[in-house]
Structure formats: C-alpha cells, structure tokens
Amino acid sequence: MKLSTSFVKTLRNAPKDETAKSAQYLVRAGYVHKELAGVYTFLPLGLRTLKKIENIIREEMNALGSAEIQMTALQNPAPWQATERWNSERMDIWFKTELSAGGELGLGPTHEEPGTAMMHDYIKSYKDLPASFYQFQTKFRNELRAKSGIMRTREFLMKDLYSFNLDKTEHDKFYAKVEKSYHTIFKRLGLGDCTYQTFASGGAFSKYSHEFQTILPVGEDTIYYNHDKSVVLNEEVLNEEVLADLGVKREELESCQAAEVGNIFSLGYKFSEPLNLTYTDKDGKEQLVYMGSYGIGVSRVMGVIAEKFADDKGLVWPEQIAPYRHYIVAIGEKATELAKEWEAAFPEDILLDDRDLRPGEKFADSELTGIPYRIVISDKTLEKDSVEYTERQSGQQKLLTIKEMTDILHSYEKDR
Ligand code: ATP
Ligand code: MG
C-alpha cells in the first residue's frame, strides 16, 4: 500500500481519554478510530492485523474439523427466554431494541442459545453427532465500564465455537483437542511464552472451566501460579478445596495480573435441556446432546499483543500479524523509483511511505506503526548497491544488497 493514498493520519500526541499504552498507540498510529467509549472503527492497518489474527485462528479451527458459519447479531428472545437469560437482571449486559412491527429483539452478546436452537433442526439421531461449528462475529455487550482501548469494548469481535456430542466421554475428547488447538493458536500469535491455561470456575457439568490468560500488568484479572507444579488458577477458584485438588499450598503460589484472551467450557446439558436439543440413540431412546463452548476475544487479543510488545517508540507487531512486513522510506529520485517498483510487485508485504514529509517524520512513523522491518533506500545506499534494513523490535540495522533484499521479498511471496 502507498501511504499517500490512505486518508489516515498519524497523530503526534496521545488522545487524553485513552490510558492504556496500546490504546494510545493504536489511535495515534491510525489502527483504530474511537467512535464512543468502548466502540472502535478498525482502519486499514488495524483491519489487516485483525484479519491476520482471525486467519490464524480460522486455520486452527478448520484443523479441528469444524466448519465456519455466520450467525445473526439480531436475537430472537424465545431461546433466551427458555434459558432464562433474556432477563436483564440475570444477564446484565444486554443491548435490547424494539421492532417497529412490535416485539423485542436483542443484539447477541454470545451465541449459545441461538446455536442450540438452530441445531434443533439438524440433530435428530446419533448419526448426526458429533457436530460443531464456529464463527467470527461482532458481539454486543453493555459493559458498565469500557476499558483499556480495544481490550474491553461494548462491540467486539469474538471467535466462538460450539460442540455437540453424544455424551461426556465423546465431549471430553473434543475438549482436549480444543485445549491443544488453543495452545497452538496463542503460540502462533506470538503469545506462547506468556499465555497460561488456568483453572476457572465451572458449572453444573464440570468442576472447572479453563481460561487462557496472558500475563499483562494492565490485565483485569489476577491469576495464581506455581511454575514447578505447572499449576495456574484464577482468583475465583482460590480456596482450600481447589488447592487440595490441584496439589498446591497457598504459600507456594505467586500472583500476577493477566488478561483473559479465551476460554473453554463444558456446557453439558445446560442449554440442550431447556432448549430440548435431543437425539435418538441406537436403542431408539431420546437423549440430551452434550455441549461445549469455546471463545477467543479476537479484537481483545489484538489489544493484548499491542500492549505486550509496545515500547517507548510505539507498536511492535510480531511478523505474522503485522499489517505489512516492510515499511519503505525512499530518499531521492532513483531510490523512489525502486521503492515504487517493489511496492507494485509486493503489495501485500510493503507499506510505502511516499508522503510529502521529511525523512525524520517517516522514520518516527515507521516506529509508531510497529511494522517489523524498515527499508531505507537513498542515493547513498544505492551507490553501494544496497538498502538499509532495520528490525523494529531490536533496532538492529544492516546493509543488504539489492539482491539480498529482493530475495527476502520473494521468499515471503512463496509462503503465501
Ligand atoms: P470477561 O471476564 O473479560 O468479561 P467473559 O468471561 O465475559 O470475559 P466470554 O463471555 O466467555 O468472556 O467471551 C469470550 C472471550 O471474549 C473472552 O475470553 C474475552 O477474550 C473476550 N471478551 C469478553 N468480553 C469482552 C469485551 N467486553 N471486549 C472485548 N473482548 C471481550
Ligand atoms: Mg464478561
């Protein structure tokens, strides 16, 4: 992309109403635009990163053998009334609205109810199981406090997966596969070293659920961990019984702040029972479907990664989710010609700063936007048949020959 064709402008100063570092940088670097508290537009760079995160998750969901669908944001109250979650006192984050033809609608905060109700039409016999589906969808939640930029918003992108099994045994196997898949996802997103699967409160059907928590000083949750015993748990389950269960003592645990990036939950019959989702087993008997749900906060993950890796100059994206891999600054006529050539040949990899600005301003913006590598071409480097190549994260700089540089650009092309 050529920056001159983008309408987005970087800002020198941080917006006063954003306190989180990630939020300040995401706004300043032009990744997002704040519409109102907890409501953000994703701008060209921001959308590219969001989509890259989405794609990594999508690949792993497909590898589980699950199929992608897209449910509706508008919610029919009926299934929610059946589970008693339409009641705004029991579910305090609803956005509800009225139909002009009469009657109420809700904006989906999650999709267990419509998902279960929908499967009523597709699951009849044991032969229809196991089944699962997932989606990427905007969820709406009337959160009391929007916080930390895109980490807690009133409208956000979630990946939600729902599983439908014959019984607990079959469910548990799928659940274990999702656990593994989540570890792979967070590793691929660059959060492998700092994301832990924690024990969290369960429900009627399992003693625990699991959350995926990324260590983050500004995270809203407190988690407790013991490295030697590989035990990590959430504050809400920190009690005598649970500690005995997990074989740790209170004094062996350290605590730190973390952000919940995902969770997995054995739902059991919690939704299939009130919504009457059953199948006929081999003996012709009617049985309830055993369910699970598995979420990842896609837009929150983007905020967490931004927050985690940013330094005092701006954002620092892991390569695999950066909007572009290379940020080019060209100084001089011949250099500009070459830069334009490369941008045209590798439009998916290159962000060309062709704005009418001083090089110093472009360098600062290349750091603010967090693109992994900066290429500077000038008449001076061209004299040496080379370009200056700087890694954003380490600041390490070297000269690459034109041939070495084009080889790198071509190598990415092959990965695609
Ligand atoms: P939290 O405890 O943070 O409110 P939750 O328990 O309500 O999260 P779920 O309902 O299971 O979370 O949603 C699945 C995932 O969606 C969460 O793990 C989190 O990553 C993300 N998420 C939840 N609420 C928000 C929000 N308001 N803004 C952005 N992401 C969110
Ligand atoms: Mg919540």
Side-chain angles (χ1 to χ4, degrees):
M1 184 174 89
K2 291 194 188 79
L3 266 181
S4 64
T5 59
S6 170
F7 62 91
V8 180
K9 306 242 178 331
T10 53
L11 310 172
R12 283 288 152 254
N13 297 312
K16 287 200 181 61
D17 54 347
E18 298 284 11
T19 51
K21 182 172 61 173
S22 59
Q24 294 183 355
Y25 284 148
L26 288 168
V27 172
R28 279 186 53 203
Y31 280 71
V32 300
H33 177 258
K34 186 174 191 165
E35 301 302 329
L36 49 103
V39 183
Y40 292 86
T41 289
F42 282 76
L43 297 167
L45 294 179
L47 188 62
R48 280 180 76 91
T49 288
L50 191 69
K51 291 280 173 198
K52 287 191 177 185
I53 296 171
E54 187 181 300
N55 256 328
I56 288 174
I57 300 171
R58 176 176 288 115
E59 284 175 12
E60 297 304 326
M61 292 296 104
N62 291 343
L64 280 172
S66 194
E68 184 170 359
I69 69 167
Q70 190 173 332
M71 302 189 73
T72 63
L74 291 178
Q75 296 296 304
N76 174 0
W80 298 89
Q81 279 156 350
T83 62
E84 289 173 36
R85 291 213 294 178
W86 185 250
N87 183 334
S88 296
E89 263 150 47
R90 293 195 56 177
M91 186 93 143
D92 58 4
I93 43 75
W94 270 114
F95 279 112
K96 291 182 180 174
T97 184
E98 263 155 48
L99 276 170
S100 38
E104 273 186 306
L105 284 183
L107 292 174
T110 177
H111 281 74
E112 280 82 2
E113 277 83 351
T116 310
M118 178 184 83
M119 290 310 262
H120 205 273
D121 286 349
Y122 301 108
I123 296 173
K124 306 284 179 202
S125 107
Y126 68 93
K127 291 177 193 156
D128 301 323
L129 295 172
S132 74
F133 61 80
Y134 73 93
Q135 62 173 345
F136 290 93
Q137 206 203 26
T138 303
K139 309 290 188 199
F140 298 90
R141 294 188 184 180
N142 202 342
E143 303 274 1
L144 191 58
R145 285 205 302 153
K147 251 174 86 170
S148 311
I150 59 171
M151 289 189 272
R152 179 170 299 282
T153 52
R154 301 197 163 99
E155 176 177 334
F156 64 96
L157 187 66
M158 194 203 285
K159 183 284 300 174
D160 41 340
L161 162 70
Y162 302 96
S163 66
F164 304 84
N165 287 100
L166 288 172
D167 53 24
K168 182 173 185 309
T169 313
E170 193 186 77
H171 162 82
D172 286 349
K173 282 190 200 138
F174 186 76
Y175 190 93
K177 273 172 61 181
V178 180
E179 281 179 285
K180 259 179 92 178
S181 162
Y182 270 39
H183 284 288
T184 309
I185 288 168
F186 293 116
K187 198 166 153 197
R188 287 187 62 187
L189 290 172
L191 293 174
D193 295 344
C194 51
T195 302
Y196 294 96
Q197 181 174 345
T198 67
F199 288 91
S201 53
F205 294 90
S206 63
K207 200 156 180 187
Y208 304 108
S209 68
H210 292 105
E211 287 185 355
F212 287 76
Q213 292 272 2
T214 303
I215 310 267
L216 197 68
V218 303
E220 288 180 38
D221 299 342
T222 307
I223 61 169
Y224 293 83
Y225 63 93
N226 180 299
H227 272 302
D228 299 336
K229 296 187 177 170
S230 292
V231 167
V232 194
L233 51 108
N234 280 14
E235 194 160 34
E236 82 251 14
V237 295
L238 185 69
N239 61 51
E240 293 299 327
E241 190 198 325
V242 171
L243 292 175
D245 244 18
L246 304 178
V248 282
K249 298 200 179 74
R250 176 65 188 90
E251 58 272 21
E252 293 171 338
L253 293 171
E254 286 182 70
S255 72
C256 67
Q257 289 311 107
E260 180 191 329
V261 285
N263 62 20
I264 56 180
F265 217 96
S266 293
L267 298 172
Y269 308 125
K270 184 175 171 189
F271 294 89
S272 54
E273 191 170 9
L275 289 161
N276 198 28
L277 180 63
T278 62
Y279 66 94
T280 323
D281 72 11
K282 281 191 174 134
D283 305 321
K285 268 182 36 200
E286 206 177 336
Q287 306 278 3
L288 285 169
V289 173
Y290 203 99
M291 288 175 54
S293 79
Y294 317 83
I296 293 182
V298 185
S299 46
R300 178 181 291 179
V301 164
M302 178 171 156
V304 167
I305 295 174
E307 187 75 31
K308 188 97 205 163
F309 299 114
D311 62 17
D312 56 349
K313 299 193 185 90
L315 298 163
V316 180
W317 296 112
E319 244 181 272
Q320 62 280 18
I321 63 159
Y324 296 90
R325 282 200 178 87
H326 295 106
Y327 191 109
I328 303 194
V329 179
I331 308 164
E333 228 169 87
K334 256 169 65 195
T336 303
E337 225 169 87
L338 180 60
K340 282 187 176 158
E341 222 174 86
W342 280 349
E343 191 277 328
F346 307 100
E348 288 299 311
D349 264 339
I350 291 178
L351 184 61
L352 172 59
D353 194 345
D354 58 344
R355 297 170 302 172
D356 190 15
L357 294 175
R358 286 180 295 109
E361 290 176 85
K362 296 185 182 184
F363 294 159
D365 275 352
S366 79
E367 286 169 334
L368 178 61
T369 50
I371 308 286
Y373 301 98
R374 181 177 73 206
I375 304 171
V376 179
I377 321 175
S378 67
D379 293 343
K380 241 172 37 206
T381 68
L382 285 180
E383 263 169 39
K384 292 181 214 149
D385 191 39
S386 60
V387 302
E388 185 191 277
Y389 197 60
T390 311
E391 191 187 0
R392 171 65 182 88
Q393 194 198 359
S394 64
Q396 248 175 37
Q397 225 171 59
K398 55 186 172 189
L399 278 183
L400 294 180
T401 65
I402 302 286
K403 166 86 171 61
E404 284 168 333
M405 191 62 243
T406 47
D407 283 350
I408 290 175
L409 293 170
H410 277 293
S411 72
Y412 287 128
E413 201 64 6
K414 274 191 220 103
D415 289 348
R416 231 186 291 286

